[in-house]
Amino acid sequence: MAVLKQNEEFDADSIRGKVIGIASDMVMHDSGFHFHTTKAQLLYAPSGCMTVTTSDRQLVLPPFRMLWIPANEIHRVNFRNIVAYRSIYFDECYAEKYMNSSLRVLNVNPLLKEIIERICFWEWSELRNDQVSLLNVFWDEISGAPEEKLELKIPQDRRFKKFSEEWTLRYAMPPMLKKLAEKTGAVEKTISRIFKKETGLSYQEWRQQWRLQRSIELLVEGNSIGEVSHILDFSSDSAFIEFFKKQTGSTPLQYLIKHE
């Protein structure tokens, strides 16, 4: 077991064992881009919200979602508020018996939440019979966990690299198309064409999806409807609620309650 301190380094590949769990309460964290050569990783936070960026996409992990990261998948983990960080590393040969080698965002039910918490506080040693039995339940549950599709493809064009980094780190919000054209020197039609080609969305659609991801983060972090509406430049609280409901099928409050 490892209860990590805020800036303590941890190298999962250097530790032998089928299952290695760690736990930490951290704030303002940026892992930087990295990958694990011999371990698959399950990433989860029972409280707080994490943003994960891969080589080509961005994902948001509120407390009702977990992320399966196969070995050798480049990724970066960011969060700006207090997060109860939980991570389980599985030996690649062991994990591939149960999970395919693809990045997956999965829903966390109450049973999975409790199992993950227990595994993260196990001693790092040979697995006991009762631990093997619990892992069997874990794999059964994770195999049936609904997959979430809320992800955002990141444009790779060099003209947007600096801006994409700022948007990923939440230093800035994607502006309206006209403003972005002024900042990049690219005409609006060119920007729209690039985003459609590289993300599958028009720039306006992409910006709305970014705002949706950010709104979920802000709500999970405890911000009010009014605060989220103001931060994300909605014209009114009701405009934000209507936007959120159109995107998710629920009002912000219903969305959070449904996933508690």
Side-chain angles (χ1 to χ4, degrees):
M1 174 194 74
V3 178
L4 298 185
K5 297 179 181 178
Q6 174 72 38
N7 296 313
E8 185 177 351
E9 292 189 7
F10 176 79
D11 179 12
D13 289 320
S14 67
I15 301 173
R16 296 180 62 183
K18 284 185 179 180
V19 182
I20 302 295
I22 62 173
S24 180
D25 289 337
M26 294 190 284
V27 64
M28 298 298 290
H29 175 73
D30 183 351
S31 72
F33 281 106
H34 65 286
F35 61 91
H36 311 290
T37 57
T38 64
K39 297 282 198 299
Q41 180 183 9
L42 182 72
L43 189 60
Y44 174 63
S47 65
C49 194
M50 296 185 283
T51 303
V52 180
T53 308
T54 69
S55 58
D56 67 345
R57 74 189 86 172
Q58 178 179 288
L59 311 117
V60 171
L61 298 181
F64 40 86
R65 291 198 187 114
M66 59 186 174
L67 178 63
W68 178 263
I69 308 172
N72 296 299
E73 178 78 41
I74 295 174
H75 60 284
R76 176 185 190 178
V77 183
N78 294 95
F79 42 86
R80 290 148 295 281
N81 214 315
I82 297 175
V83 165
Y85 179 89
R86 303 290 183 264
S87 188
I88 307 174
Y89 299 89
F90 300 91
D91 182 83
E92 184 181 15
C93 295
Y94 169 63
E96 66 184 11
K97 298 176 184 177
Y98 303 96
M99 291 285 283
N100 58 37
S101 57
S102 62
L103 196 77
R104 300 176 67 195
V105 179
L106 301 169
N107 186 66
V108 181
N109 64 30
L111 179 56
L112 270 172
K113 177 181 178 180
E114 293 303 320
I115 293 174
I116 291 169
E117 193 74 5
R118 186 174 297 185
I119 293 173
C120 284
F121 287 91
W122 279 353
E123 294 294 333
W124 297 344
S125 58
E126 286 294 317
L127 295 172
R128 303 189 308 267
N129 288 338
D130 61 316
Q131 292 174 327
V132 172
S133 297
L134 188 61
L135 283 167
N136 288 335
V137 178
F138 168 81
W139 291 119
D140 283 343
E141 288 296 313
I142 203 172
S143 66
E147 191 161 355
E148 303 280 353
K149 293 297 185 182
L150 186 60
E151 63 179 40
L152 196 61
K153 286 287 188 73
I154 303 297
Q156 302 298 309
D157 190 282
R158 59 178 177 78
R159 283 167 285 192
F160 306 114
K161 185 174 179 60
K162 182 186 76 170
F163 300 105
S164 292
E165 176 75 0
E166 291 177 348
W167 301 336
T168 295
L169 296 177
R170 307 316 197 215
Y171 294 156
M173 184 175 74
M176 298 294 284
L177 179 57
K178 182 178 180 180
K179 190 70 174 179
L180 183 60
E182 293 173 359
K183 288 185 173 184
T184 60
V187 299
E188 293 179 23
K189 286 185 178 180
T190 299
I191 294 173
S192 297
R193 176 177 53 79
I194 291 170
F195 268 80
K196 193 71 175 179
K197 178 182 177 182
E198 297 189 351
T199 72
L201 301 172
S202 69
Y203 176 72
Q204 291 92 332
E205 291 170 334
W206 189 91
R207 180 175 181 268
Q208 292 293 65
Q209 286 300 301
W210 186 97
R211 293 169 96 195
L212 177 61
Q213 284 198 348
R214 184 66 179 127
S215 71
I216 292 171
E217 290 176 337
L218 291 167
L219 290 166
V220 169
E221 289 169 3
N223 291 278
S224 67
I225 297 293
E227 289 168 333
V228 177
S229 175
H230 174 72
I231 291 168
L232 297 180
D233 287 343
F234 284 91
S235 59
S236 65
D237 294 0
S238 59
F240 166 62
I241 293 170
E242 185 62 30
F243 159 80
F244 195 94
K245 188 173 182 180
K246 183 178 180 181
Q247 297 291 329
T248 67
S250 306
T251 67
L253 182 60
Q254 290 169 341
Y255 185 82
L256 293 177
I257 291 174
K258 182 170 63 177
H259 291 94
E260 283 184 349

